[in-house]
Each structure stands twice: as structure tokens, then as C-alpha cells.
Amino acid sequence: MRIAELSTPELRQGHADSQSHLQSHQHLLSQIESSIKQTENLSPDKLPPDTISADLRRFSTQLSQLAPFPNSLKILIWKLSYRLWNSCVDLSNASSLRSLPPSKAEDHAKLRHVASDLLFLASDVSGVPSPAIKSASFYLKTGLIWHDLRSFDLASLCFERATDIVSKIDIDKLSDAGERKLLLDLNIARSKTAWEIRDRNLAIALLNRAKGLLFGTPDHHKALANQYLAFGKTALAKSEESQDLNDALKLMNEALDLYEKGLREARTRQETVDLKDLRSKTLRFISALHLQKNEFESVIKCVRVLREECESGDHHPSLSVLAMKAWLGLGKYGEAEKELRGMVVNKGIPEGVWVSAVEAYFQAAGTAGAETAKGVFLGLLGRCHVSASSAVRVAHRVIGDVSEGSRVRAKVVGELVSDNRVVALFNGEGAAKQRTAMHAVLWNCGAEHFRSKDYETSAEMFEKAMLYIPFDIESRILRAKGFRVLCLCHLGLSKLDQAHEYINEAEKLDPNIASAFLKFKIYLQKKDQNGAIDQIQAMATCLDFTPDFLSLAAHEAVACRALAVAVASLSNLLNFYSPGKSMPATEVVVLRTLVTILTQEPGNELEALKFVKRVHNRASELGSDCFFGTGEVGRRERNWFAVTLWNLGTKTGKEKNYELCGEFLRLASEFYGLLADGQAEENMVCKSLILSVSAIIASENQRKTTLSESEVKQALELLDRAGKILKSILPGTQLNGDQLTTTEPDLYFIYTICAYDIHGRLNDSGSQLKLVQKFTSSKAWNPKHLLQIGISASQGPRTNHEVATFALNECLSAFLSSSSPDYQNVALIVRRLIGVTSIHKGDTDDEAVYGMYKQAYRVMVGLKDSEYPTEEGKWLAMTAWNRASLAVRFGQIDVARKWMDVGLQLAKHVPGMETYRACMEDFINDFEKRFCAPNDGERKIDSARSII
């Protein structure tokens, strides 16, 4: 029936609506076709614009809103979908030979996604076989592309749409193998995407669901088992907790079970071989997993199964490694060694595998396995080609760290790397990189042992490292470095001759300051100080010499107690100082060190004086602040030299080396003068000056020579300086020594007696008397000091009777006025005064001498026996009596009577003179009787002379 015959108002309205929908369909389909044509017309070298996929997506969305469609329209949509898909396939094939930018690859995937959506709109078209399967395959392939681009959300969307499509299909009615395979692939692909987005439960559930889609086909078993194995390997590689290992083991067991089921379904030899290989591979992974879980017994079981499952056995390289590690874990090192040595005869094991096995064995067996590791490696050299890289790996692993047993390991490595076969591996330019690596391994090992002071092992390692240095011009510096390090090792072992030989070889290859300095150390160790001093001169001729090495040499010499060498080194260092030049230490520090070293041993005072004078001269040339430094640093340096000179002066003074003592104290006064910022420093300057002059005078007496005019002049200048300082101690007052009474009470006395001596040499007696008078008027004096001045003035070649008389009288007055007089000194003063008066006044002033005797008598009156020195009392009595002899000879009867009388009076107060006193009294009586008659005068005088 024609449509016009059915025309009614309702039909006409419906027909009008259909015409409107059809026009919309046609418009959208024409736009879709136009976009597809653009895609089809693109050249392989030109990528599709971004707008095409966006337009197609928009048109597809609008078209889906117009569903349902008539079958004719569905066929048209179906065709357009296939055209777009084929266009994408063509573009993809053209672009497969070159990499696409990520954005363009996504555009391809978007176009395929649109094609899949268009085909889904027409998935129930009539006249097309299995339209649902075809639509699902489009989504599966598109989802796989999105998965590869790591757009997992879009991939999941495609897989879920495909799953919805095939869920309506009766699986039992599927007879085509490709269609069945599509259902399995869809579940596996969806599981992979779920795994990537960390939804492991869904991923494993989908794999378990796929077990119902195997259809008894070996390929299906293989595909599903491969995915289980892939998941297990991923879980094993990323295992951080024991639960991850358990999950990996479950997945691998599932894969193993599927492989075994697939073997039962296999019909061809190739299928059987493939599945057996995969089963063995899975078992090896399960073994590795058990090994990681420390389930060593399970590892051994797996290895046994793998080896027993076929006649020839499984000779996969990993089996020996797995078995060896399992035996090591069980502590059965003998079994592990058998596995390791078995690898030597198995030529199918790659080099990397047995090197890894050697490393693992040694790591577990420790030092005890070093010898085995060496034997295995050398055994492999005869079996197959061993690379230099493997030798480096084994040496590095065996050496390990410096710890307990490291010495044994180093010895084993030394034997290994010195084997001619191993050394031959590193010959040629092709092994240059490995040769450098081996040298570095051995060098670092030697360095570690050197730092731990195991010099013997260190030397052995450095010697072996020398085997891996080429004998060419470019490597001579490296060889010289090796010889220098060997020299250091033998120095540490005190093998000085060997060290000397090595450093000579180093100097031949690379003469530099390092070699020269090591030779210097050898001379020091040999205690050859002359050789060390000569080597210091040789060091200065090196092209890379710097003054720092002289400072370092001095430190080494001091450590070896070779003080002469240290002095020579620092003396040479002083030659390099010039204004503005950078030096390892300041000049004053070097000089201070020199003085310190010289003063450590006796007998070096003269040499120390030379350097101290240099300090003084350099400070005068450069300026005190420039030489010593400013602030507190400079003050400490000045103070150190001042104190040291004072100590040296006092030391040499105690040793009676007065000449050096005077020099040291004079210089001490100069350095204290640089410090003079307080009264204490002023006092030290004054003291140093005074004691310096005292030492000069003592030196004259010691040498038994007379001071020269210049020396006297110098002493006078020093005393003048000291006198000015003494005057300034109490500003505004005259020199009276009051200030010194609280600090150095003897200092003013020493100043006075020294000044007295020097002025005496200049015949300036007036100044001498004034000095003594000033000293007597000061509070610093005491009778004993003045007594010394008096005695000095009363004797010697330069006597001064005025000073002697003045000083002795003052002393006598002081002693007698004391509450407990010292009669020993009183007697001494009396005798000295009698002597001085007798010499300088003689007979012209007899009363002065007589007065001294009468004074002595008055002192003795009232004293206890022996309180006045007996011998001195006898001397007074006898000399007074004897003085009457001269008067008698000259006929001076009254004078004789006077002296006899005083002699008798003195004798009465001296114990032990009773016999003498009786004789004296008898003589005086007889003398008076005889000289009473005037007629017998001449005869009586002669008689008196004979009696006396």
C-alpha cells in the first residue's frame, strides 16, 4: 500500500515529523561524512587537526540524541563508522615508523573512540553478522590504545562499554574462536587497567572471571596465565611488605596452575614446548620469591623440580644462583660452594650471572669465602672469555670495607689481581676504562688501610695498583704518585731503606717538592741531621716550592727532636720575608719559635742571643707595631720576649756566665721598655738595667780583665737610664729609694754599689761619696748593705777612704744603736776603721786611732764573756800593746804608757788572756819603777825596748 493512500490528518502530522527527523539525520550525517572525508584526504606526513575529532565528537553526540534510527540509516552510520576507523588505521600505519607527539597520539585515539561510538549507535543493525561483537571489538581496541597512552579512565570507559555490549550475548552460542578470544581479551584488558589504577581486587576478580572463558584452548590458558604471571612479577618487584610477597606468590601459583592445565589441553608439540618453558619460568620466579621470603627449603624444592622435570635437566643460569643462595641461607656453605664451582664447568651461564653469583657467595660467606671466590674466578679464566669489567666487580666485592677480616680479603685480592692472566685482561686501549677502574679499586683499598694504620696491607695494595698503570709518558705522574705513597707506607713500617728507594724512583719520574719533602722525612727518621739540613737546601730549588714546606719541615724536626734541623729550617724561612709578601707565619712568630727551640737544650744561649738581637733590630727597622702586631697580640709578643730574656739572664747569671747574662738583661730592658705602660714594667726596666751592669762588673772579675773604656761608658749609660727611672718612680720627689722599700729593697743597693764602682773607674770620688750619702739617707738602706760598700771602699785598687770611713761609721752607729747589736759585725767594722784610719792618717793623727781603741773598749765594757768576738778582742788588746813599742823606740814614754794602759784595759775584758794580762801588769809595774829615776833614763828606755 502506498503511503498516500493511508493519508489521514494524524498520519500527515506523523509523516511531517518523520520528514523533519530525517532531514536532521541527513544534515548530521553529511557533516560527519564531510569530517571523515577530511580525515581520509590527509596525507601520511600531515597529522589530523585537533578540530576534526572535536567536530566528530559533537556531531556524534547530537546524532545519539536522535535515536532510534531506521535500519537504512543504521547501515549508513555503520558504513561511516568503518570509513572513519579505516582512515585511522591508515594514518596509524603511516605514522608507525615515526614517533608521534603525545597530543597527536591522543587525537588518533579520540577519532577511534568516535568511530566506536558511531558503530555502537548502529550495533543492532539488521543484515550485518554479529554486529554486537564487532562493536565490542572496536571498543576493546580503542581501550587498549587509551591504556597505552596511560589514559586509564577512558580505557576503563571503553572496556566497560564493550562489556555491556557482550553481556547480552549468549556465550554458549558463540562458535567462532575469534569471538571467544575477544571475550577473554576483554576481561584481561579490563583487569590490566584496574591493576594500573591500583584497584587490585577488581583486577584479580576479572582474571578469576576470565577462567570461565578458556573454552579448553591452550592459547587461552597461556594468555590468562601470562597475565597472572605479569601481575605476580609486578607485585614481586614492588614488594615493600610481607603481604605483597604473599600476593605475588598467590598470583604466580595461579599462573603455574593455568600453565599445567594448558599442558593438558595442548595438542601440538609447539604448544607443549611453549607452555613448559613458561611453566619453568614461573617456577623460577616462585623460587626467587621464596628466596626473598627466606624460605630456603622451598627454593631448593623448586630447583630440584626444575632440574628433574626433563631428562637433560633445566640448565637455566639462574638455577645455580638460586640454589647457591638458598644453601647459603641455610648455612650450608659446602653445598653453596659446590653450586658455585659447578657454574665454572657450565659454559651456558653468562658472565654477568656467575659474577653476580660470586658476589653473592662472598657477601654471605664473608672473609672465609674470599679464597673460594678467587679460585672460581681464576677457574673461569680458563673456561671462557672473562671481561675486565668482571674482574673489577669481583675485586671490588671481595675487598669490601675495612673491617674485621679485611686484611685477609685484601691479600686474596692482591693474589687475584697480580695473576698474569688477570693482568692480561686489561691490556690494550679498549680496556683503558676498566684499567682505570681496577686501579681506583686497589688504590682506595690501600688508602683505607693506610688510614687505619695497617701500612703493610696498604703497601701491598698500592704495589698491586701499580700493575694497572701504563708505562707511558702520560702516566708517569701517576706512577710517581704511586711511588710516593709506597714511600709513605714504608716510612710507617720504619723500613727506611725501602722508602728511600721508592722516593728516588718518584723523583726520577716527577721531581717536585712532595718528593723532596718525603726524602727530608727519611733523613729525619734515620737521624741523619746533616742530610736533613742539606735536603732543606734542595727543597728550596724545586719549581713548586713554597715557604710553607720550611714551616712544615720545622714541625717535623721538632717532633723528631732534631732541634738543629728545626733551627736550620726556620733560619732558611727567615730569608724569604719581605714587606707585603704572604707567608705561612709572621716573622715574629718564626723568631719566637726559634728562640723557644734553642732554649730547650743547654748551650744554645749564644745562638738564641743572635736571634733575639735580630728581633730587636727588625722591630727598630719596621716599627714595633708593624713587627709585633697591634693591640693585645702585639703586647703579648713583646711581653713574651721580655720575660724570656729576663729568664735567660737570670739563668745564665746563676750559671756564672756573666757576659751573656749582661747581654740578655740589657735586651730585656729594651723589650720591657716597649711594654712600659705601667709601674710594673718600669720596675722591670730599672731592674734589668741595674742587674745588667752588675753582670758586666761580675764578668770583669770572672775574666780577670779590665773593662774597656767603651764598656765603662756603656755601663754608665745604662746606670743613667736606671737612675732616671728611679727618679720617676715617685713623680716630683728626689731619688731616695722610698718606693723601692716595698718592692725590691736590694735593688737600690745594687744600683748604688754598681754606680760607685763605675764612678770609681772614672776617678769621680765626689760622686761616689754623694751616692753613698744618698743611699744612707734613704729608707731602702740597711747596715749590712752599707757595710759591703764600706768594705769595698776600704780595699782593692780603687779605695776611697772618705767613703769607707763614712760608710763604716754609719754602719757602726746603726749596729750599736740596735736593740740587739751584732757584735761580730761591730768588731769587723772597728778593725776596718782602725785599718783605714791608720793608713790614711798614720802618726799624724794618733789620737784618732787611739779613739777607735777607746771606743772599742767602751763597747766591750759590760758585755758578757765571749759576747764580743774573742779573737777580735785579743787582736785589739795585742795591737794596742804593740803600738807602745814604736813609742818606746822614739822615747815617747807618755805615749807608750797610754797604749800599754789601753791594751791592758782591753785584755781585762777578753776571756783567755789572763796569762797575757798578768805579764802586762808585771811589765807595767816594772816599767814604772824603772822610769821613775831620771838618772837611769837612757838605760831604762833600752831596757823597756827589750821587754816590749
Side-chain angles (χ1 to χ4, degrees):
M1 182 181 295
R2 292 191 297 268
I3 295 176
E5 294 176 354
L6 301 174
S7 178
T8 63
E10 292 79 5
L11 289 173
R12 285 196 298 273
Q13 181 63 39
H15 180 68
D17 292 340
S18 298
Q19 291 293 327
S20 175
H21 280 295
L22 185 60
Q23 291 177 358
S24 299
H25 293 157
Q26 292 295 337
H27 177 68
L28 287 173
L29 290 174
S30 64
Q31 288 179 321
I32 291 171
E33 185 176 13
S34 175
S35 296
I36 292 173
K37 284 181 179 180
Q38 292 182 36
T39 305
E40 291 172 335
N41 292 332
L42 288 173
S43 65
D45 296 333
K46 188 175 182 181
L47 299 175
D50 298 341
T51 56
I52 293 179
S53 61
D55 292 341
L56 286 171
R57 169 59 57 195
R58 186 175 69 256
F59 299 150
S60 174
T61 302
Q62 293 175 359
L63 184 63
S64 65
Q65 294 173 356
L66 300 176
F69 308 110
N71 195 62
S72 60
L73 195 61
K74 290 179 181 179
I75 292 174
L76 180 59
I77 294 171
W78 189 278
K79 292 179 179 179
L80 290 174
S81 172
Y82 263 86
R83 284 177 60 188
L84 179 59
W85 184 269
N86 291 334
S87 176
C88 289
V89 170
D90 293 338
L91 289 173
S92 178
N93 291 337
S95 304
S96 61
L97 299 178
R98 55 189 176 88
S99 58
L100 290 175
S103 60
K104 298 304 179 183
E106 288 181 3
D107 288 338
H108 273 277
K110 289 177 182 177
L111 290 174
R112 288 178 183 266
H113 204 151
V114 171
S116 301
D117 288 342
L118 288 173
L119 195 63
F120 176 71
L121 292 175
S123 60
D124 55 348
V125 63
S126 300
V128 177
S130 303
I133 292 295
K134 289 182 173 61
S135 178
S137 69
F138 269 36
Y139 274 117
L140 172 61
K141 293 174 182 178
T142 303
L144 291 174
I145 294 173
W146 281 123
H147 183 93
D148 292 339
L149 293 174
R150 304 195 66 77
S151 296
F152 300 121
D153 292 339
L154 292 173
S156 295
L157 181 63
C158 291
F159 295 146
E160 288 169 1
R161 183 69 61 84
T163 302
D164 290 340
I165 293 172
V166 300
S167 63
K168 300 173 184 178
I169 300 173
D170 187 357
I171 297 175
D172 295 332
K173 294 181 180 181
L174 292 176
S175 59
D176 185 73
E179 293 176 354
R180 292 179 175 180
K181 185 67 165 58
L182 182 140
L183 297 179
L184 178 65
D185 291 344
L186 179 59
N187 275 275
I188 292 174
R190 189 179 174 193
S191 174
K192 287 170 63 178
T193 303
W195 185 274
E196 291 291 345
I197 61 176
R198 300 184 183 281
D199 191 352
R200 293 192 175 187
N201 293 330
L202 176 60
I204 294 172
L206 288 169
L207 289 183
N208 290 332
R209 191 183 302 172
K211 290 179 181 179
L213 304 172
L214 297 177
F215 303 108
T217 305
D219 288 343
H220 289 196
H221 285 81
K222 177 180 175 181
L224 184 57
N226 284 344
Q227 193 57 52
Y228 270 112
L229 180 60
F231 284 167
K233 289 163 64 177
T234 303
L236 178 62
K238 297 182 179 180
S239 60
E240 297 179 357
E241 299 178 359
S242 59
Q243 184 59 40
D244 295 328
L245 294 176
N246 293 331
D247 292 342
L249 184 59
K250 290 178 183 178
L251 292 167
M252 289 184 181
N253 284 327
E254 290 285 351
L256 183 63
D257 182 60
L258 286 168
Y259 286 133
E260 291 176 345
K261 290 179 180 178
L263 281 171
R264 289 195 290 270
E265 300 291 341
R267 297 291 179 268
T268 66
R269 179 178 176 81
Q270 187 61 42
E271 289 176 348
T272 301
V273 170
D274 291 343
L275 286 169
K276 281 186 175 181
D277 289 342
L278 290 170
R279 177 180 177 274
S280 297
K281 181 180 180 180
T282 305
L283 270 174
R284 288 194 298 272
F285 275 108
I286 291 173
S287 298
L289 198 149
H290 282 302
L291 186 66
Q292 194 164 346
K293 294 177 68 178
N294 295 330
E295 296 172 352
F296 304 117
E297 293 285 356
S298 298
V299 177
I300 297 299
K301 291 178 182 179
C302 289
V303 171
R304 284 175 179 167
V305 169
L306 287 167
R307 286 177 172 173
E308 294 171 358
E309 70 175 357
C310 62
E311 294 180 0
S312 59
D314 190 325
H315 297 292
H316 192 275
S318 64
L319 286 186
S320 297
V321 178
L322 289 168
M324 184 198 71
K325 290 183 177 180
W327 289 122
L328 289 174
L330 293 171
K332 297 182 179 181
Y333 297 110
E335 296 293 333
E337 185 176 344
K338 288 179 183 178
E339 292 288 346
L340 185 62
R341 293 191 180 278
M343 295 173 64
V344 177
V345 298
N346 189 346
K347 295 183 179 182
I349 297 178
E351 179 183 357
V353 173
W354 59 255
V355 171
S356 175
V358 170
E359 291 177 335
Y361 176 82
F362 179 76
Q363 186 174 5
T367 303
E371 195 69 34
T372 300
K374 182 193 77 170
V376 170
F377 185 86
L378 294 177
L380 289 167
L381 284 174
R383 177 180 65 81
C384 61
H385 173 70
V386 179
S387 66
S389 300
S390 300
V392 174
R393 283 182 59 185
V394 171
H396 182 264
R397 174 62 66 183
V398 174
I399 284 174
D401 299 326
V402 176
S403 59
E404 185 178 356
S406 60
R407 189 172 186 178
V408 176
R409 298 198 304 271
K411 183 179 179 181
V412 171
V413 170
E415 295 172 356
L416 175 67
V417 299
S418 60
D419 189 281
N420 293 333
R421 293 171 295 175
V422 177
V423 175
L425 297 176
F426 295 85
N427 293 335
E429 292 297 327
K433 183 177 179 182
Q434 289 77 14
R435 187 166 54 244
T436 302
M438 178 63 85
H439 178 270
V441 168
L442 298 173
W443 183 277
N444 292 337
C445 177
E448 288 293 329
H449 283 281
F450 186 88
R451 280 190 284 271
S452 63
K453 300 189 184 304
D454 184 1
Y455 300 120
E456 186 174 353
T457 305
S458 177
E460 184 178 357
M461 287 296 99
F462 286 129
E463 284 179 1
K464 299 305 183 284
M466 296 285 285
L467 297 173
Y468 295 89
I469 302 177
F471 287 89
D472 53 21
I473 297 176
E474 292 79 8
S475 303
R476 71 179 187 278
I477 294 178
L478 186 58
R479 291 188 66 80
K481 183 179 179 182
F483 282 126
R484 285 195 295 271
V485 174
L486 284 168
C487 169
L488 282 172
C489 292
H490 285 84
L491 271 175
L493 294 169
S494 298
K495 297 180 179 179
L496 304 181
D497 292 336
Q498 292 89 328
H500 208 156
E501 291 176 7
Y502 281 120
I503 203 60
N504 285 338
E505 292 297 322
E507 276 195 319
K508 292 176 185 178
L509 293 170
D510 183 26
N512 59 12
I513 185 60
S515 298
F517 184 76
L518 283 176
K519 186 175 283 189
F520 167 79
K521 284 177 66 70
I522 292 171
Y523 283 124
L524 282 180
Q525 295 277 343
K526 288 184 174 181
K527 302 188 184 304
D528 184 0
Q529 296 198 15
N530 292 331
I533 292 172
D534 292 340
Q535 189 62 26
I536 289 172
Q537 303 297 330
M539 286 165 55
T541 62
C542 295
L543 295 177
D544 54 346
F545 168 80
T546 61
D548 301 73
F549 282 94
L550 289 176
S551 178
L552 186 59
H555 284 289
E556 292 286 342
V558 170
C560 294
R561 300 301 300 168
L563 300 185
V565 180
V567 170
S569 179
L570 293 176
S571 299
N572 276 276
L573 181 60
L574 290 174
N575 298 330
F576 292 91
Y577 280 89
S578 60
K581 185 176 181 180
S582 177
M583 295 294 286
T586 59
E587 187 175 3
V588 67
V589 170
V590 175
L591 286 164
R592 170 162 50 81
T593 306
L594 271 167
V595 175
T596 302
I597 293 172
L598 288 169
T599 54
Q600 287 183 7
E601 291 184 352
N604 295 326
E605 290 80 7
L606 187 60
E607 191 74 10
L609 179 63
K610 179 183 75 172
F611 289 110
V612 173
K613 286 182 177 179
R614 172 166 178 153
V615 173
H616 185 262
N617 294 335
R618 292 290 287 168
S620 301
E621 293 171 9
L622 302 176
S624 180
D625 287 344
C626 181
F627 182 74
F628 291 108
T630 58
E632 182 62 21
V633 174
R635 196 195 72 80
R636 285 201 299 267
E637 291 289 353
R638 296 181 186 93
N639 184 69
W640 187 90
F641 279 102
V643 172
T644 300
L645 284 166
W646 172 264
N647 292 338
L648 287 172
T650 54
K651 176 178 175 289
T652 51
K654 292 176 181 178
E655 295 171 353
K656 300 184 187 249
N657 190 347
Y658 298 119
E659 186 175 0
L660 283 177
C661 174
E663 287 289 338
F664 282 127
L665 292 174
R666 181 183 64 80
L667 286 170
S669 69
E670 298 290 342
F671 283 97
Y672 277 120
L674 296 174
L675 279 171
D677 54 358
Q679 183 177 318
E681 286 76 14
E682 289 285 348
N683 285 343
M684 289 305 297
V685 173
C686 182
K687 186 189 294 187
S688 300
L689 289 169
I690 294 170
L691 294 180
S692 175
V693 176
S694 175
I696 291 172
I697 296 171
S699 175
E700 176 195 40
N701 297 330
Q702 187 182 50
R703 292 179 296 162
K704 297 181 180 180
T705 57
T706 305
L707 291 179
S708 64
E709 185 177 348
S710 61
E711 289 175 325
V712 173
K713 184 178 179 181
Q714 182 189 31
L716 185 61
E717 290 175 355
L718 296 176
L719 288 171
D720 287 343
R721 287 175 57 196
K724 291 177 182 178
I725 296 172
L726 286 172
K727 288 181 181 179
S728 66
I729 289 176
L730 286 178
T733 64
Q734 296 297 321
L735 177 62
N736 54 23
D738 291 353
Q739 180 67 20
L740 297 174
T741 58
T742 59
T743 57
E744 295 289 345
D746 294 337
L747 187 62
Y748 192 25
F749 161 68
I750 299 173
Y751 166 77
T752 302
I753 198 168
C754 289
Y756 171 85
D757 184 277
I758 296 301
H759 282 288
R761 296 170 190 271
L762 300 174
N763 296 321
D764 189 358
S765 59
S767 297
Q768 287 180 306
L769 182 58
K770 289 179 181 178
L771 283 168
V772 177
Q773 289 175 343
K774 287 181 180 180
F775 176 72
T776 307
S777 63
S778 71
K779 295 181 180 179
W781 85 287
N782 66 61
K784 292 184 179 180
H785 288 162
L786 196 58
L787 176 58
Q788 291 186 46
I789 296 174
I791 292 172
S792 176
S794 65
Q795 63 187 15
R798 292 180 290 274
T799 58
N800 188 327
H801 71 280
E802 293 182 0
V803 173
T805 303
F806 173 79
L808 292 172
N809 282 322
E810 290 293 326
C811 285
L812 185 59
S813 300
F815 281 124
L816 293 176
S817 62
S818 173
S819 58
S820 56
D822 184 355
Y823 289 107
Q824 186 69 41
N825 284 326
V826 168
L828 176 61
I829 293 169
V830 168
R831 181 187 282 212
R832 287 283 176 176
L833 280 171
I834 291 172
V836 170
T837 305
S838 299
I839 293 171
H840 291 281
K841 295 188 177 181
D843 295 336
T844 58
D845 194 0
D846 185 66
E847 288 299 322
V849 179
Y850 179 75
M852 294 304 304
Y853 278 92
K854 291 295 291 185
Q855 186 177 9
Y857 169 73
R858 288 192 292 271
V859 170
M860 294 171 66
V861 172
L863 293 180
K864 298 177 181 178
D865 290 346
S866 301
E867 190 171 358
Y868 191 93
T870 303
E871 293 300 322
E872 291 296 325
K874 289 180 179 179
W875 181 85
L876 287 172
M878 298 300 291
T879 53
W881 181 265
N882 290 336
R883 283 181 179 273
S885 173
L886 186 62
V888 169
R889 290 176 182 176
F890 288 101
Q892 298 173 351
I893 302 301
D894 293 335
V895 174
R897 185 180 287 113
K898 178 178 66 174
W899 283 110
M900 286 188 289
D901 183 59
V902 73
L904 179 61
Q905 291 177 5
L906 287 169
K908 290 179 179 180
H909 294 280
V910 178
M913 291 194 72
E914 289 79 4
T915 303
Y916 288 97
R917 187 169 62 246
C919 293
M920 288 179 181
E921 290 175 350
D922 291 343
F923 178 78
I924 290 175
N925 292 332
D926 186 59
F927 179 82
E928 291 295 338
K929 291 177 182 179
R930 292 186 182 186
F931 287 97
C932 288
N935 296 331
D936 299 330
E938 187 65 29
R939 183 180 58 83
K940 292 177 181 177
I941 289 174
D942 291 338
S943 177
R945 286 174 182 169
S946 62
I947 294 172
I948 294 175

